[in-house]
Amino acid sequence: MRILNAIMLAIVCALAFSPAVSAMGTTEGAELSISDHESSYSINARMEVLEDAQRQWSMKDLQSPALQQQFQPARGQSSFGYTSSAYWVRVTLNNESSNDKWELTVLNSIMDQIDIYPSAPLITKNRLHPSYEITLPRDQQTTIYMRFETYGSMIIPLRLTAQSALYDKMSNELLFYGFYYGMITVIAVFQIVLYLYTRNIAYFYYMLNVVVFCTVLLIWNGFMLPLFGTGRLTGQGMAEGIWHSPSAVYDFFYVLGRWFGTLFLAKILFPRSDSPTAKWICRSLNVICPIICIGILFFYPLGMAQFLFWFKYVSLFLALVIIVLCARKGDRIALYLAIPKIPVVLFAILPKALLLYGLLPNNTFTRFASQFGLLGDFVFIAILMYALMNQMRKKEENAQQELVQTLSDWNVNLKKTVEERTESLKRTNDELRVSETFRSQMLQNISHDVRSPLSYVQSGIGALIHKFETRPQQQERILRNVHDKVLDINRFIDDFLALSRNEVASGSTELQMVIFYDWFEEIGRELAADIEYAGRRCTLAISPFERDADVWMDPFLIKRVLSNLVDNACKFTLPGGTITLQASLEKQAVCIMVGDTGNGIGAEQMTHIFRRHYKEGDAQGSGLGLAIAKEIVERHGGEIWAESELGKGSRFYFTLPIVGAGE
């Protein structure tokens, strides 16, 4: 219903904009009176027409009374649609003016053949439409017959103009067309610039669309008239090919322009929209249009014109469907394209289609509305394309700014990372230097610690071999001491292997939950037996804990800590001295103490003893035991320290956190 309303509105507009004929031509009749008051007349209001369906009648046949009576008044009609018939026109001119030189113009530049009787000179040079120079004797009646044939639409608007006023009229028309085609040329050049700037193929296709439709309008308005020659108009070029038929060339470029327009829609819409139906329609048109263009080259004289009429306007409707479907998918570009396209089609293209089909008369509105509509469409889309290009340019600028900012941030982060890595490498280098120093000192300490017992073993075995000592009790004492020194050497080797393999630092210890009181009671008895075997007394101070104390630990490693502390205490305690093993429960940890009754260490030495043992080794002969003990305890989350007084012995403490202490 909306389409019908639009059609009716277009018809009303066409009638409203129809040019008024002169006062002398407003009544029906077969005679047009010419006076000095008018310089231009519309012939259609007074002419009569006769359809020659078989294209067989000649001028001699028309002189018969039977055919003369078949002429019918045109009543202003100038468009007779698509037909294979020839049309005869008869008009009687009564020249009551003082001017006898007139020019009869057929306002249809794509007519294929025109014959005029009586014969008159055909003028196409410097003319936009086929024109005939006729002489009308003053105060006499002259009857003119014209015969028309065309492959396209039979549109035969006729205008009679006095030659004295002709050039002023032509000057005004050329001025108008110069402005019109100048604007189209600017739009086409603008699209070329946009394409060269963006390299977006959509701009290139739209530029081709503008250029091709500009060619279509040039053909329609008669600027291509000299290219087709005058042979066709005199009946000598109808069978020589389409390039001698301007209607065929008009349809060829029209379909070609529709193809470029569809390619433009495909490139500008489908990267942003997802409408399967629209894509299918667009792909179909992009295949059919070039096939039809090829078909026009070979089959146009066989009656393709009416088929092409329907194809041209159905494809235009399908292009609107593509735009609407993409707009419904949320494509803003499609929505902007629909703004000019729909009104242009309804109020500019549709009246032109009705004119070609013979449903509307030829007048200013129906003839030029499509041209102004296309120009408005071109201007609007050119503005839209510029807006898209400007938007793209702004996005590129923003992207460049974001890229610059990102690169700047990367540079800052890289600089910071380099500084951090440099600092880390520096720390690592320092640690390597310390480690190397430690290794060097450690080897010196190992050499010192191992050399002393080895020297004793060597001298003891030498004394036994050379029988420097013959008393059995002294030999037994030497053997026992040699045995102890060998055990010391074994402990040095075990400690060295443990440290070199980094068993503690690797964090690979397997912790398990241990009821500490029960475990320490068992280990304490075992260590007490070793102490007594070494010739020292042992005091095992283990009081029952007030509550259960569960500890996450590696029992083997904690036993190593206790063994190292006990061995160290035995070294600095004279035979007969006392070694004390004690365990107590504190608030968040268990505390273990190993004490001896040796000579003790000074306060200043005691402050740095573990740091010195860990980093520098023990120059006092304590070996690697304290270094490993410190590492193991700290890995378990505990602490280790020592208390000592000169002459009163030393006490070594370490703690282990109990389960749930941090909650």
Side-chain angles (χ1 to χ4, degrees):
M1 182 61 69
R2 293 181 179 178
I3 296 176
L4 292 177
N5 291 338
I7 295 174
M8 293 301 298
L9 179 60
I11 295 173
V12 172
C13 291
L15 295 176
F17 284 93
S18 298
V21 297
S22 64
M24 298 184 65
T26 57
T27 60
E28 294 184 5
E31 180 181 313
L32 176 62
S33 297
I34 302 173
S35 66
D36 290 330
H37 299 291
E38 296 287 341
S39 61
S40 181
Y41 296 87
S42 174
I43 301 297
N44 298 81
R46 290 292 185 175
M47 73 182 186
E48 296 174 311
V49 294
L50 174 63
E51 182 178 2
D52 182 3
Q54 302 300 323
R55 296 187 177 187
Q56 60 183 359
W57 296 331
S58 64
M59 185 61 195
K60 183 178 180 180
D61 296 328
L62 248 63
Q63 300 302 319
S64 65
L67 291 180
Q68 285 290 322
Q69 293 178 0
Q70 293 184 24
F71 276 93
Q72 300 294 326
R75 298 185 177 89
Q77 184 179 2
S78 60
S79 177
F80 301 92
Y82 289 89
T83 177
S84 59
S85 303
Y87 268 77
W88 288 86
V89 171
R90 181 179 67 185
V91 61
T92 300
L93 303 175
N94 184 14
N95 187 9
E96 298 176 354
S97 69
S98 59
N99 187 6
D100 60 351
K101 298 297 183 181
W102 296 81
E103 194 167 294
L104 182 61
T105 304
V106 182
L107 300 176
N108 181 7
S109 298
I110 58 175
M111 185 63 64
D112 291 306
Q113 181 178 350
I114 305 174
D115 297 313
I116 186 169
Y117 307 94
S119 180
L122 173 62
I123 306 172
T124 57
K125 185 177 181 181
N126 299 325
R127 300 292 191 272
L128 299 180
H129 309 286
S131 301
Y132 296 88
E133 183 180 341
I134 60 176
T135 301
L136 299 176
R138 285 177 286 182
D139 299 325
Q140 293 185 21
Q141 290 184 347
T142 303
T143 301
I144 297 176
Y145 291 86
M146 302 186 73
R147 184 180 182 276
F148 298 93
E149 287 187 20
T150 182
Y151 293 127
S153 177
M154 184 64 71
I155 303 176
I156 46 177
L158 301 176
R159 183 180 68 190
L160 184 66
T161 307
Q163 286 188 347
S164 59
L166 182 63
Y167 291 99
D168 291 338
K169 191 174 187 65
M170 291 175 57
S171 177
N172 294 332
E173 289 181 351
L174 292 175
L175 181 63
F176 163 75
Y177 284 126
F179 174 76
Y180 180 84
Y181 289 108
M183 292 188 63
I184 294 181
T185 303
V186 169
I187 293 173
V189 172
F190 178 67
Q191 296 302 319
I192 295 176
V193 173
L194 289 181
Y195 168 70
L196 294 177
Y197 179 79
T198 62
R199 294 297 178 180
N200 187 341
I201 194 65
Y203 293 89
F204 179 73
Y205 285 137
Y206 188 71
M207 180 271 297
L208 293 177
N209 175 261
V210 172
V211 171
V212 171
F213 270 108
C214 180
T215 304
V216 171
L217 295 176
L218 288 172
I219 297 172
W220 176 259
N221 291 321
F223 287 91
M224 298 295 185
L225 182 62
L227 298 180
F228 301 110
T230 59
R232 60 186 177 83
L233 293 173
T234 58
Q236 301 174 5
M238 289 289 288
E240 295 182 9
I242 68 161
W243 301 115
H244 292 277
S245 173
S247 58
V249 181
Y250 174 85
D251 286 338
F252 175 85
F253 280 101
Y254 197 104
V255 176
L256 186 64
R258 181 72 65 235
W259 182 32
F260 288 135
T262 309
L263 290 172
F264 162 71
L265 292 179
K267 294 300 180 181
I268 200 70
L269 294 181
F270 293 142
R272 304 163 55 93
S273 180
D274 186 18
S275 175
T277 303
K279 289 182 179 179
W280 182 84
I281 295 173
C282 195
R283 290 171 181 170
S284 300
L285 289 177
N286 285 333
V287 173
I288 295 173
C289 285
I291 293 176
I292 291 181
C293 286
I294 296 173
I296 293 174
L297 298 175
F298 300 98
F299 305 109
Y300 191 83
L302 302 180
M304 287 188 66
Q306 190 165 1
F307 164 76
L308 290 174
F309 169 83
W310 289 108
F311 175 78
K312 289 186 295 186
Y313 293 102
V314 169
S315 62
L316 177 61
F317 173 76
L318 292 177
L320 287 180
V321 170
I322 293 172
I323 294 173
V324 171
L325 290 176
C326 292
R328 290 185 60 186
K329 290 292 185 177
D331 192 333
R332 295 182 64 86
I333 295 181
L335 180 62
Y336 293 146
L337 288 175
I339 293 174
K341 287 288 184 184
I342 294 177
V344 165
V345 170
L346 292 180
F347 301 109
I349 307 299
L350 184 59
K352 171 74 172 296
L354 297 177
L355 168 67
L356 293 174
Y357 211 71
L359 299 179
L360 285 180
N362 181 77
N363 53 48
T364 304
F365 176 76
T366 56
R367 187 170 183 82
F368 293 102
S370 62
Q371 302 186 46
F372 284 104
L374 284 176
L375 179 61
D377 186 34
F378 290 159
V379 171
F380 187 92
I381 295 181
I383 295 174
L384 175 62
M385 302 289 275
Y386 173 76
L388 292 176
M389 186 273 294
N390 192 43
Q391 183 180 9
M392 182 177 63
R393 181 179 58 81
K394 290 182 178 179
K395 288 183 178 180
E396 289 179 354
E397 291 178 355
N398 293 335
Q400 289 178 356
Q401 293 178 357
E402 292 178 359
L403 179 60
V404 170
Q405 184 62 37
T406 301
L407 292 176
S408 178
D409 294 340
W410 285 358
N411 186 42
V412 173
N413 293 334
L414 181 60
K415 183 177 180 181
K416 183 178 180 181
T417 302
V418 170
E419 292 176 352
E420 292 176 352
R421 294 291 176 85
T422 302
E423 184 64 26
S424 176
L425 290 174
K426 184 178 179 181
R427 289 196 301 268
T428 303
N429 187 47
D430 293 341
E431 292 175 357
L432 289 175
R433 290 179 179 178
V434 172
S435 175
E436 186 63 27
T437 303
F438 165 69
R439 290 177 182 274
S440 177
Q441 187 65 40
M442 180 183 66
L443 292 175
Q444 294 178 7
N445 292 338
I446 291 174
S447 175
H448 175 272
D449 289 340
V450 173
R451 184 182 295 111
S452 296
L454 281 178
S455 298
Y456 185 86
V457 169
Q458 181 180 3
S459 60
I461 293 176
L464 293 176
I465 292 175
H466 296 288
K467 297 181 180 180
F468 293 141
E469 184 61 61
T470 57
R471 290 174 294 178
Q473 63 273 17
Q474 292 299 327
Q475 291 179 350
E476 182 180 355
R477 181 181 63 78
I478 292 174
L479 288 174
R480 184 181 295 276
N481 288 336
V482 168
H483 178 265
D484 290 341
K485 296 303 180 181
V486 171
L487 291 178
D488 289 342
I489 293 172
N490 286 335
R491 278 195 297 272
F492 287 147
I493 293 173
D494 291 340
D495 291 342
F496 174 70
L497 290 176
L499 190 63
S500 64
R501 292 174 182 175
N502 203 17
E503 291 177 351
V504 178
S506 65
S508 61
T509 55
E510 297 182 1
L511 303 181
Q512 54 183 289
M513 186 178 291
V514 175
I515 301 176
F516 189 78
Y517 180 83
D518 296 340
W519 177 83
F520 186 77
E521 186 177 22
E522 179 180 353
I523 295 301
R525 292 193 182 98
E526 181 179 339
L527 293 175
D530 293 339
I531 292 171
E532 291 177 356
Y533 181 78
R536 280 80 173 168
R537 293 190 299 272
C538 180
T539 300
L540 189 60
I542 306 176
S543 300
F545 292 168
E546 297 177 356
R547 64 182 188 278
D548 292 337
D550 297 330
V551 177
W552 280 103
M553 68 180 191
D554 185 329
F556 175 78
L557 294 180
I558 299 302
K559 180 180 178 182
R560 177 182 287 275
V561 172
L562 285 170
S563 298
N564 288 345
L565 293 178
V566 168
D567 291 339
N568 190 67
C570 290
K571 286 182 181 181
F572 297 100
T573 302
L574 297 176
T578 303
I579 306 297
T580 303
L581 300 178
Q582 179 181 332
S584 62
L585 177 63
E586 297 183 353
K587 185 176 181 180
Q588 297 182 345
V590 293
C591 182
I592 300 93
M593 187 273 290
V594 177
D596 60 63
T597 57
N599 293 328
I601 305 172
E604 183 176 353
Q605 291 178 321
M606 185 57 64
T607 303
H608 304 286
I609 184 171
F610 285 101
R611 180 162 60 98
R612 183 171 63 248
H613 285 159
Y614 182 59
K615 292 186 178 181
E616 301 175 1
D618 181 17
Q620 305 296 327
S622 60
L624 302 174
L626 290 180
I628 292 180
K630 183 177 187 296
E631 189 70 24
I632 292 174
V633 170
E634 289 180 351
R635 284 289 178 179
H636 281 74
E639 297 179 354
I640 186 169
W641 70 94
E643 297 176 355
S644 181
E645 296 182 18
L646 290 175
K648 295 185 178 180
S650 301
R651 293 173 298 280
F652 291 85
Y653 299 87
F654 70 91
T655 61
L656 296 173
I658 61 176
V659 176
E663 298 179 357

